[in-house]
Amino acid sequence: MNKPRVGIALCGSFCTYDKLFSQLISLADKYELVPVMSESAAVTDTRFGAAGDFVSRLTALCGAEPVHSIAEAEPLGPAEPMEALIIAPCTGNTMAKINHGITDTAVTMAAKAHLRNSKPLVIAFSTNDALSGSAPNIAGLLNRKNVYFVPFGQDDPVKKPFSMASDFSLIGKTLESALTGKQLQPLLAAH
């Protein structure tokens, strides 16, 4: 029996990768995962790890090399449709681009191509400016058809009062709910 195809697109919030990879293990049992990485996520080494290690880890979990260019991401719409696309971690920058229709990375092209099919786009974000600069883009995407958010909350209100992050442990439940056309609730959760 074929598993439903679900895209998993990674942006550059590298501090969340360990949380994401732990969730991908259970998702890989139920879905055929189509990996996508933004160009910077695919090549940037940080204090959280080497890009090559993240690419290898994602490839092993998904059983395929990640898409990491606009040209490779475009067919993920009508030519190679998926049941859903998860962007995790989704940065404030990527949310702004999707909200304003800017398509200049593999992840934003995958989202644009996927949304043409009227299928669920699941966003698990992590951004230090959710309660300031990114707030209008979060609100804009919350009002879009077929866009679903993994429940989120403030991740460190004392040291980073404007920062918020999705609860990555709820990615699977959010995906299941999105596939039925419903936003998982409660949307705002305490961490």
Side-chain angles (χ1 to χ4, degrees):
M1 183 173 166
N2 290 340
K3 295 179 184 178
R5 290 184 79 219
V6 172
I8 180 67
L10 284 68
C11 298
S13 185
F14 304 100
C15 62
T16 63
Y17 279 18
D18 282 340
K19 292 177 191 175
L20 172 64
F21 283 118
S22 68
Q23 297 306 306
L24 292 183
I25 294 167
S26 61
L27 290 176
D29 289 338
K30 295 172 87 171
Y31 304 99
E32 175 190 344
L33 296 179
V34 179
V36 179
M37 292 182 87
S38 70
E39 290 81 343
S40 61
V43 300
T44 305
D45 295 332
T46 72
R47 65 186 170 106
F48 300 104
D53 293 341
F54 291 131
V55 171
S56 295
R57 207 167 155 194
L58 186 61
T59 300
L61 280 167
C62 298
E65 291 280 330
V67 167
H68 56 80
S69 73
I70 293 171
E72 292 173 327
E74 195 278 331
L76 296 176
E80 299 174 27
M82 300 174 290
E83 292 304 309
L85 173 63
I86 302 165
I87 303 177
C90 187
T91 60
N93 184 47
T94 296
M95 283 191 291
K97 290 176 181 184
I98 294 169
N99 190 42
H100 292 283
I102 298 168
T103 307
D104 64 353
T105 70
V107 172
T108 56
M109 175 53 85
K112 176 183 176 180
H114 178 73
L115 285 170
R116 286 188 294 194
N117 295 331
S118 297
K119 299 281 186 158
L121 173 65
V122 175
I123 295 176
F125 73 81
S126 177
T127 181
N128 288 327
D129 70 345
L131 294 174
S132 56
S134 286
N137 296 312
I138 294 168
L141 290 171
L142 278 168
N143 290 314
R144 295 262 308 260
K145 185 179 179 186
N146 298 319
V147 176
Y148 302 87
F149 278 80
V150 174
F152 53 86
Q154 285 184 280
D155 53 328
D156 189 350
V158 174
K159 293 180 184 171
K160 302 185 301 182
F162 300 105
S163 182
M164 295 183 88
S166 293
D167 181 346
F168 280 50
S169 71
L170 296 175
I171 289 174
K173 286 182 180 179
T174 304
L175 173 61
E176 290 171 11
S177 186
L179 288 168
T180 68
K182 296 179 184 161
Q183 170 63 57
L184 185 65
Q185 295 292 335
L187 185 58
L188 294 173
H191 278 279

